[in-house]
Amino acid sequence: DAGVIQSPRHEVTEMGQEVTLRCKPISGHDYLFWYRQTMMRGLELLIYFNNNVPIDDSGMPEDRFSAKMPNASFSTLKIQPSEPRDSAVYFCASSFWATTYNEQFFGPGTRLTVL
Amino acid sequence: AQKITQTQPGMFVQEKEAVTLDCTYDTSDPSYGLFWYKQPSSGEMIFLIYQGSYDQQNATEGRYSLNFQKARKSANLVISASQLGDSAMYFCAMREGYNTDKLIFGTGTRLQVFP
């Protein structure tokens, strides 16, 4: 079975540009999570969805960040305009409520560099 | 206050020896779950083991076991018979309560296994 798929794997952009990160969760999973990992702040949850509905977006840093989940198999995280401090690895994860532990399965991450 | 504390930034262990990675947590909710994830240098996050707050026995998964001491609020990961491939970052995480699927991660411990 395919795991969580993220694209692009690497993104280099200039300050002020719009960046869109994409995620395809594991088929059948009903939860989707977006995380950001930096050396300074570690791994922090940005937002998560249940059945395509945003449940908790308290970790979204500011209005420049937005996330959507138009259907069960696709989600985007958009940064507009991007800033150098947004440079990080962004992970998408998915889970299914009926698994034994409801553990989250992570994608390979997108390494974003904003110049 | 830190919800999840991992006090060991780095640990070394010789191949075939056992190693314990520390994790303490802080919550007032009687219902919670504790997770350990491994992050190799390739970057992906791999789920290792789970312990529920009401579980009577310590969790085990192959060479991984969890030393769960509820009164001390600690959930240390024990890796037995270390292998070179165990070299990675290890993260402890907590999910609090029934009403959220949010995971809070610790800062991680880098484990180096040497021959």
Side-chain angles (χ1 to χ4, degrees):
Chain A
D1 287 342
V4 175
I5 299 172
Q6 290 187 246
S7 65
R9 295 292 310 276
H10 301 272
E11 177 81 36
V12 180
T13 191
E14 293 189 344
M15 184 173 64
Q17 296 297 306
E18 177 179 295
V19 175
T20 299
L21 310 182
R22 296 173 175 80
C23 175
K24 177 178 168 55
I26 293 172
S27 177
H29 281 194
D30 52 350
Y31 285 87
L32 185 138
F33 305 82
W34 282 101
Y35 289 89
R36 178 172 67 176
Q37 186 177 35
T38 61
M39 288 295 292
M40 291 297 295
R41 300 176 67 90
L43 195 64
E44 50 184 348
L45 177 69
L46 301 177
I47 185 171
Y48 79 92
F49 297 83
N50 178 222
N51 292 322
N52 314 336
V53 176
I55 302 299
D56 185 340
D57 66 354
S58 59
M60 294 287 263
E62 48 199 274
D63 291 346
R64 297 185 299 106
F65 285 69
S66 62
K68 293 183 180 178
M69 191 164 187
N71 57 61
S73 58
F74 184 65
S75 178
T76 59
L77 178 69
K78 186 175 293 187
I79 308 172
Q80 165 64 18
S82 57
E83 297 182 2
R85 60 191 168 122
D86 302 330
S87 297
V89 179
Y90 290 81
F91 288 100
C92 176
S94 69
S95 67
F96 178 49
W97 72 272
T99 55
T100 305
Y101 311 127
N102 196 9
E103 69 271 28
Q104 296 177 21
F105 294 83
F106 281 72
T110 295
R111 182 173 294 277
L112 173 65
T113 303
V114 183
L115 303 174
Chain B
Q2 293 278 356
K3 289 277 189 178
I4 294 284
T5 302
Q6 295 181 255
T7 57
Q8 307 155 313
M11 290 283 285
F12 288 89
V13 65
Q14 190 166 30
E15 203 176 5
K16 300 180 185 176
E17 296 295 310
V19 63
T20 298
L21 307 183
D22 294 343
C23 173
T24 58
Y25 58 92
D26 182 26
T27 181
S28 57
D29 198 311
S31 174
Y32 52 89
L34 298 158
F35 298 78
W36 277 91
Y37 280 83
K38 172 184 179 181
Q39 186 177 39
S41 57
S42 50
E44 74 273 27
M45 298 284 287
I46 303 166
F47 166 69
L48 295 178
I49 196 167
Y50 169 84
Q51 181 82 46
S53 59
Y54 295 118
D55 292 346
Q56 294 297 312
Q57 294 187 323
N58 287 344
T60 61
E61 288 286 349
R63 294 187 299 110
Y64 304 109
S65 61
L66 216 149
N67 183 2
F68 182 46
Q69 298 189 41
K70 198 169 180 177
R72 294 186 178 183
K73 294 188 175 179
S74 75
N76 299 338
L77 177 70
V78 181
I79 305 174
S80 62
S82 297
Q83 301 172 357
L84 295 178
D86 294 334
S87 295
M89 282 290 288
Y90 289 81
F91 292 92
C92 180
M94 177 173 64
R95 183 175 61 216
E96 283 181 291
Y98 286 115
N99 296 322
T100 181
D101 291 272
K102 188 173 180 174
L103 283 184
I104 301 166
F105 282 83
T107 52
T109 296
R110 181 171 296 282
L111 177 66
Q112 303 264 33
V113 182
F114 59 94

